[in-house]
mmCIF file of all heavy atoms in Angstrom:
data_model
loop_
_atom_site.group_PDB
_atom_site.id
_atom_site.type_symbol
_atom_site.label_atom_id
_atom_site.label_comp_id
_atom_site.label_asym_id
_atom_site.label_seq_id
_atom_site.Cartn_x
_atom_site.Cartn_y
_atom_site.Cartn_z
ATOM 1 N N GLY Y 15 -4.651 -9.172 -10.132
ATOM 2 C CA GLY Y 15 -4.302 -9.521 -8.796
ATOM 3 C C GLY Y 15 -4.688 -8.435 -7.787
ATOM 4 O O GLY Y 15 -5.548 -7.622 -8.087
ATOM 5 N N CYS Y 16 -3.993 -8.302 -6.733
ATOM 6 C CA CYS Y 16 -4.261 -7.298 -5.736
ATOM 7 C C CYS Y 16 -3.966 -5.876 -6.116
ATOM 8 O O CYS Y 16 -2.935 -5.736 -6.768
ATOM 9 C CB CYS Y 16 -3.574 -7.597 -4.395
ATOM 10 S SG CYS Y 16 -3.947 -6.402 -3.013
ATOM 11 N N CYS Y 17 -4.821 -4.975 -5.786
ATOM 12 C CA CYS Y 17 -4.597 -3.491 -6.164
ATOM 13 C C CYS Y 17 -3.529 -2.904 -5.287
ATOM 14 O O CYS Y 17 -3.008 -1.910 -5.563
ATOM 15 C CB CYS Y 17 -5.854 -2.670 -6.108
ATOM 16 S SG CYS Y 17 -6.428 -2.424 -4.328
ATOM 17 N N GLY Y 18 -3.198 -3.602 -4.159
ATOM 18 C CA GLY Y 18 -2.168 -3.076 -3.204
ATOM 19 C C GLY Y 18 -2.744 -2.288 -2.107
ATOM 20 O O GLY Y 18 -1.942 -2.054 -1.081
ATOM 21 N N MET Y 19 -3.956 -1.913 -2.073
ATOM 22 C CA MET Y 19 -4.533 -1.117 -1.029
ATOM 23 C C MET Y 19 -4.810 -2.002 0.288
ATOM 24 O O MET Y 19 -4.430 -1.665 1.322
ATOM 25 C CB MET Y 19 -5.770 -0.296 -1.431
ATOM 26 C CG MET Y 19 -6.336 0.586 -0.300
ATOM 27 S SD MET Y 19 -5.166 1.841 0.295
ATOM 28 C CE MET Y 19 -5.152 2.925 -1.032
ATOM 29 N N ALA Y 20 -5.468 -3.125 0.051
ATOM 30 C CA ALA Y 20 -5.747 -4.053 1.174
ATOM 31 C C ALA Y 20 -6.309 -3.326 2.432
ATOM 32 O O ALA Y 20 -5.690 -3.296 3.515
ATOM 33 C CB ALA Y 20 -4.482 -4.875 1.513
ATOM 34 N N GLY Y 21 -7.549 -2.793 2.274
ATOM 35 C CA GLY Y 21 -8.142 -2.131 3.355
ATOM 36 C C GLY Y 21 -7.433 -0.762 3.642
ATOM 37 O O GLY Y 21 -7.303 0.026 2.742
ATOM 38 N N SER Y 22 -6.816 -0.604 4.834
ATOM 39 C CA SER Y 22 -6.154 0.605 5.124
ATOM 40 C C SER Y 22 -4.587 0.478 4.986
ATOM 41 O O SER Y 22 -3.877 1.416 5.167
ATOM 42 C CB SER Y 22 -6.389 1.063 6.617
ATOM 43 O OG SER Y 22 -5.936 0.052 7.471
ATOM 44 N N PHE Y 23 -4.164 -0.769 4.576
ATOM 45 C CA PHE Y 23 -2.713 -1.046 4.406
ATOM 46 C C PHE Y 23 -1.987 0.139 3.599
ATOM 47 O O PHE Y 23 -1.003 0.607 3.955
ATOM 48 C CB PHE Y 23 -2.575 -2.378 3.767
ATOM 49 C CG PHE Y 23 -1.163 -2.799 3.495
ATOM 50 C CD1 PHE Y 23 -0.324 -3.399 4.417
ATOM 51 C CD2 PHE Y 23 -0.513 -2.500 2.232
ATOM 52 C CE1 PHE Y 23 0.946 -3.742 4.223
ATOM 53 C CE2 PHE Y 23 0.693 -2.942 1.962
ATOM 54 C CZ PHE Y 23 1.496 -3.515 2.911
ATOM 55 N N GLY Y 24 -2.571 0.345 2.444
ATOM 56 C CA GLY Y 24 -1.903 1.327 1.633
ATOM 57 C C GLY Y 24 -1.876 2.716 2.041
ATOM 58 O O GLY Y 24 -1.141 3.629 1.589
ATOM 59 N N TYR Y 25 -2.795 3.030 3.016
ATOM 60 C CA TYR Y 25 -2.845 4.411 3.631
ATOM 61 C C TYR Y 25 -1.833 4.541 4.764
ATOM 62 O O TYR Y 25 -1.503 5.635 5.100
ATOM 63 C CB TYR Y 25 -4.132 4.717 4.161
ATOM 64 C CG TYR Y 25 -5.180 4.998 3.048
ATOM 65 C CD1 TYR Y 25 -6.267 4.216 2.883
ATOM 66 C CD2 TYR Y 25 -5.028 6.092 2.202
ATOM 67 C CE1 TYR Y 25 -7.201 4.485 1.811
ATOM 68 C CE2 TYR Y 25 -5.893 6.369 1.245
ATOM 69 C CZ TYR Y 25 -7.010 5.555 1.062
ATOM 70 O OH TYR Y 25 -7.975 5.844 0.017
ATOM 71 N N GLU Y 26 -1.296 3.501 5.223
ATOM 72 C CA GLU Y 26 -0.335 3.585 6.271
ATOM 73 C C GLU Y 26 1.035 3.977 5.780
ATOM 74 O O GLU Y 26 1.553 3.407 4.821
ATOM 75 C CB GLU Y 26 -0.206 2.196 7.039
ATOM 76 C CG GLU Y 26 -1.512 1.824 7.715
ATOM 77 C CD GLU Y 26 -1.615 0.337 8.108
ATOM 78 O OE1 GLU Y 26 -0.608 -0.354 7.917
ATOM 79 O OE2 GLU Y 26 -2.717 -0.033 8.638
ATOM 80 N N LYS Y 27 1.606 4.948 6.397
ATOM 81 C CA LYS Y 27 2.805 5.552 5.964
ATOM 82 C C LYS Y 27 3.919 4.505 5.564
ATOM 83 O O LYS Y 27 4.590 4.562 4.513
ATOM 84 C CB LYS Y 27 3.382 6.553 6.909
ATOM 85 C CG LYS Y 27 4.606 7.296 6.413
ATOM 86 C CD LYS Y 27 5.036 8.390 7.439
ATOM 87 C CE LYS Y 27 6.253 9.128 6.982
ATOM 88 N NZ LYS Y 27 6.661 10.181 7.921
ATOM 89 N N GLU Y 28 4.099 3.531 6.486
ATOM 90 C CA GLU Y 28 5.105 2.551 6.261
ATOM 91 C C GLU Y 28 4.773 1.534 5.142
ATOM 92 O O GLU Y 28 5.688 0.820 4.742
ATOM 93 C CB GLU Y 28 5.460 1.815 7.544
ATOM 94 C CG GLU Y 28 4.230 0.957 8.116
ATOM 95 C CD GLU Y 28 3.345 1.705 9.061
ATOM 96 O OE1 GLU Y 28 3.317 2.917 9.012
ATOM 97 O OE2 GLU Y 28 2.561 1.031 9.782
ATOM 98 N N HIS Y 29 3.601 1.583 4.632
ATOM 99 C CA HIS Y 29 3.218 0.686 3.562
ATOM 100 C C HIS Y 29 2.888 1.311 2.248
ATOM 101 O O HIS Y 29 2.574 0.670 1.292
ATOM 102 C CB HIS Y 29 2.039 -0.194 4.010
ATOM 103 C CG HIS Y 29 2.269 -0.998 5.270
ATOM 104 N ND1 HIS Y 29 1.447 -1.032 6.329
ATOM 105 C CD2 HIS Y 29 3.273 -1.829 5.560
ATOM 106 C CE1 HIS Y 29 1.944 -1.767 7.210
ATOM 107 N NE2 HIS Y 29 3.008 -2.312 6.844
ATOM 108 N N ALA Y 30 2.817 2.659 2.244
ATOM 109 C CA ALA Y 30 2.345 3.328 0.999
ATOM 110 C C ALA Y 30 3.141 3.068 -0.200
ATOM 111 O O ALA Y 30 2.552 2.786 -1.238
ATOM 112 C CB ALA Y 30 2.320 4.842 1.320
ATOM 113 N N ASP Y 31 4.510 3.005 -0.127
ATOM 114 C CA ASP Y 31 5.266 2.837 -1.263
ATOM 115 C C ASP Y 31 5.068 1.274 -1.752
ATOM 116 O O ASP Y 31 4.977 1.087 -2.959
ATOM 117 C CB ASP Y 31 6.779 2.968 -0.942
ATOM 118 C CG ASP Y 31 7.150 4.424 -0.783
ATOM 119 O OD1 ASP Y 31 6.369 5.284 -1.319
ATOM 120 O OD2 ASP Y 31 8.136 4.775 -0.131
ATOM 121 N N LEU Y 32 4.980 0.340 -0.922
ATOM 122 C CA LEU Y 32 4.739 -1.034 -1.277
ATOM 123 C C LEU Y 32 3.409 -1.143 -1.928
ATOM 124 O O LEU Y 32 3.171 -1.914 -2.948
ATOM 125 C CB LEU Y 32 4.847 -2.027 -0.109
ATOM 126 C CG LEU Y 32 4.543 -3.435 -0.310
ATOM 127 C CD1 LEU Y 32 5.486 -3.997 -1.392
ATOM 128 C CD2 LEU Y 32 4.642 -4.262 0.982
ATOM 129 N N SER Y 33 2.361 -0.510 -1.405
ATOM 130 C CA SER Y 33 1.028 -0.517 -1.940
ATOM 131 C C SER Y 33 1.056 -0.028 -3.383
ATOM 132 O O SER Y 33 0.410 -0.595 -4.290
ATOM 133 C CB SER Y 33 0.096 0.353 -1.058
ATOM 134 O OG SER Y 33 -1.184 0.524 -1.669
ATOM 135 N N LYS Y 34 1.726 1.086 -3.652
ATOM 136 C CA LYS Y 34 1.815 1.624 -5.008
ATOM 137 C C LYS Y 34 2.586 0.772 -5.886
ATOM 138 O O LYS Y 34 2.280 0.636 -7.031
ATOM 139 C CB LYS Y 34 2.478 3.045 -4.982
ATOM 140 C CG LYS Y 34 1.542 4.102 -4.281
ATOM 141 C CD LYS Y 34 2.325 5.344 -4.111
ATOM 142 C CE LYS Y 34 1.434 6.363 -3.313
ATOM 143 N NZ LYS Y 34 2.099 7.561 -2.935
ATOM 144 N N LYS Y 35 3.648 0.040 -5.370
ATOM 145 C CA LYS Y 35 4.446 -0.830 -6.171
ATOM 146 C C LYS Y 35 3.589 -2.063 -6.594
ATOM 147 O O LYS Y 35 3.633 -2.486 -7.800
ATOM 148 C CB LYS Y 35 5.671 -1.316 -5.346
ATOM 149 C CG LYS Y 35 6.551 -2.196 -6.141
ATOM 150 C CD LYS Y 35 7.788 -2.582 -5.272
ATOM 151 C CE LYS Y 35 8.674 -3.430 -6.107
ATOM 152 N NZ LYS Y 35 9.914 -3.826 -5.297
ATOM 153 N N ILE Y 36 2.722 -2.546 -5.721
ATOM 154 C CA ILE Y 36 1.889 -3.679 -6.021
ATOM 155 C C ILE Y 36 0.822 -3.254 -7.114
ATOM 156 O O ILE Y 36 0.683 -3.961 -8.113
ATOM 157 C CB ILE Y 36 1.146 -4.128 -4.726
ATOM 158 C CG1 ILE Y 36 2.072 -4.823 -3.864
ATOM 159 C CG2 ILE Y 36 0.054 -5.183 -5.126
ATOM 160 C CD1 ILE Y 36 1.533 -5.154 -2.450
ATOM 161 N N ALA Y 37 0.327 -2.076 -6.974
ATOM 162 C CA ALA Y 37 -0.661 -1.612 -7.997
ATOM 163 C C ALA Y 37 -0.025 -1.393 -9.370
ATOM 164 O O ALA Y 37 -0.566 -1.672 -10.427
ATOM 165 C CB ALA Y 37 -1.266 -0.314 -7.586
ATOM 166 N N GLY Y 38 1.313 -1.048 -9.309
ATOM 167 C CA GLY Y 38 2.018 -0.801 -10.545
ATOM 168 C C GLY Y 38 2.483 -2.014 -11.210
ATOM 169 O O GLY Y 38 2.920 -1.946 -12.387
#
């Protein structure tokens, strides 16, 4: 599935934890 980054989404402070959770 998705790596969680989604362009710049995972770099945005408010989304970083969610991005890592998706990757995990």
Side-chain angles (χ1 to χ4, degrees):
C16 183
C17 72
M19 184 57 74
S22 63
F23 176 85
Y25 286 117
E26 296 167 0
K27 185 177 179 178
E28 64 272 18
H29 301 127
D31 289 339
L32 177 58
S33 173
K34 291 174 187 171
K35 184 177 180 179
I36 293 169

